[in-house]
Amino acid sequence: MNMQNDIVVEVRNLVKQYTDVVAVDGVSFEIREGEIFGMVGPNGAGKTTTIECVEGFRQPDGGSIQVLDLDPHRDGYKLQELIGIQFQAAALPPQIKVWEALDLFAAFYHSSVNWRTLLDQIGLAEKSNVYLAKLSGGQKQRIFIALALINDPDLVFLDELTTGLDPQSRRAMWDLVRGIRQQGKTVFLTTHFMEEAERLCDRVAIIDHGKIVALDTPQNLINSLGAENRVVFSVNGHLDEKPLHAIPGVIRVERIGERVVVYGQKDGLVGGVVNTLEAGSVRFDHLRTEQPTLEDVFLALTGREMRN
């Protein structure tokens, strides 16, 4: 494989339209070899359509796509041998056993890895003879990852991998994704969880209304927002907010019930808040700091309204 500049996926001016709705409107991005690349966006933003075009399941109306130096539509059969896809809702019968599912998927490809070794790698070797219907949500997701890896792909697509999982299972999935990257594979994932994108992804594209509105590393996206640090605490009773406003670097103070949030951007904000409260003999509890996150960036760029 001779990928120029280690570019695994190259999308240029992608357009996809359904009747009178432009789902994807001139999207361009690249994915580099060996990185975890994330795409996030509100419902209806064009995220799923973009990924399905890259995977070769939808025909674009405009633009160009290169995946592993192949055209997903012209070279679809060849490309399927080189990529692995974990679907959000895998259509497998509940009464199929784990080993049967892996054995079935292995038969779809010219070459595949040993599924017994793969089961051991994902920690489910003892479940090989169990029906899928008997597995927990987290175990099923691990099986779906195994199915995406059965052909030893260069590029792996993971779609909403941890939706519906409890926090412990979600973090176990994160470890598996990091392990996939450590094997030298490239990962393209979508997620609704901003913490997941922030922790896992080398770079994140935020898509909204069919356009990419931001694309960078999570930390660079957070820094570009210029968001304030926050000091949060609780008070029971009267609080004179004027001394808090007078602290150097404080931008605003909000109080909802007993909860008080002080926003600021200057070093020493926490110390200033604590000293001011103590000087005023204010009794406070549960004081903590909150740093800007990728979720703040997401909300700033896409808005806070609910979307169906």
Side-chain angles (χ1 to χ4, degrees):
M1 203 179 321
N2 183 26
M3 291 172 291
Q4 186 177 8
N5 299 322
D6 296 327
I7 299 300
V8 176
V9 176
E10 184 177 35
V11 177
R12 291 286 175 263
N13 301 315
L14 177 65
V15 175
K16 181 62 181 178
Q17 184 169 347
Y18 302 105
T19 314
D20 58 346
V21 176
V22 180
V24 182
D25 189 5
V27 163
S28 298
F29 62 92
E30 297 174 346
I31 301 178
R32 301 162 188 160
E33 184 178 14
E35 77 173 336
I36 300 176
F37 183 89
M39 180 168 282
V40 300
N43 292 333
K47 177 176 75 268
T48 298
T49 299
T50 298
I51 291 168
E52 290 180 347
C53 288
V54 174
E55 293 170 335
F57 293 125
R58 291 191 186 275
Q59 175 70 51
D61 296 317
S64 64
I65 304 173
Q66 286 284 305
V67 182
L68 300 170
D69 285 338
L70 299 172
D71 182 298
H73 300 280
R74 187 179 64 243
D75 308 308
Y77 288 112
K78 186 175 181 180
L79 181 61
Q80 295 306 311
E81 294 286 333
L82 302 175
I83 66 175
I85 301 174
Q86 170 266 325
F87 294 98
Q88 187 174 352
L92 286 174
Q95 294 307 313
I96 189 173
K97 294 182 178 179
V98 167
W99 77 265
E100 291 174 331
L102 289 163
D103 197 52
L104 173 65
F105 270 61
F108 295 158
Y109 302 99
H110 290 110
S111 63
S112 60
V113 299
N114 187 307
W115 60 259
R116 294 175 180 83
T117 302
L118 201 54
L119 271 183
D120 189 56
Q121 289 175 350
I122 65 171
L124 289 179
E126 77 284 358
K127 300 292 184 180
S128 64
N129 211 39
V130 174
Y131 291 109
L132 286 181
K134 299 294 185 180
L135 298 179
S136 68
Q139 289 170 339
K140 287 179 182 177
Q141 289 294 66
R142 278 190 271 171
I143 293 300
F144 295 154
I145 289 179
L147 295 176
L149 297 175
I150 194 70
N151 60 322
D152 194 22
D154 297 311
L155 171 63
V156 183
F157 293 89
L158 303 177
D159 183 20
E160 303 291 351
L161 179 65
T162 62
T163 297
L165 298 185
D166 60 75
Q168 184 178 14
S169 297
R170 182 173 300 132
R171 279 158 178 75
M173 291 299 103
W174 294 355
D175 289 338
L176 277 178
V177 174
R178 294 186 186 104
I180 293 172
R181 195 255 297 276
Q182 288 171 1
Q183 296 174 29
K185 302 181 187 303
T186 304
V187 178
F188 185 3
L189 68 83
T190 70
T191 180
H192 278 102
F193 297 105
M194 293 304 107
E195 182 188 7
E196 183 165 287
E198 185 174 341
R199 293 211 184 180
L200 281 182
C201 297
D202 298 295
R203 291 186 303 136
V204 175
I206 300 176
I207 187 170
D208 192 26
H209 297 295
K211 297 179 180 290
I212 289 181
V213 295
L215 197 169
D216 210 329
T217 66
Q219 191 57 56
N220 284 346
L221 289 172
I222 292 168
N223 293 342
S224 70
L225 183 63
E228 313 95 344
N229 293 321
R230 300 180 288 268
V231 179
V232 184
F233 58 91
S234 298
V235 294
N236 188 2
H238 175 72
L239 172 67
D240 184 1
E241 296 181 9
K242 290 182 180 179
L244 293 173
H245 285 283
I247 299 172
V250 167
I251 296 173
R252 69 185 187 278
V253 179
E254 294 180 354
R255 180 174 183 180
I256 303 176
E258 296 182 353
R259 185 176 185 266
V260 181
V261 184
V262 181
Y263 296 83
Q265 290 182 316
K266 189 172 181 179
D267 292 340
L269 179 66
V270 178
V273 170
V274 172
N275 291 337
T276 300
L277 293 174
E278 290 181 342
S281 300
V282 177
R283 299 183 64 181
F284 62 92
D285 296 301
H286 311 301
L287 186 142
R288 67 183 188 277
T289 61
E290 294 180 354
Q291 304 298 319
T293 66
L294 190 60
E295 184 168 343
D296 294 312
V297 178
F298 180 81
L299 292 173
L301 292 173
T302 65
R304 296 172 181 268
E305 75 276 8
M306 291 291 291
R307 299 192 188 176
N308 297 318

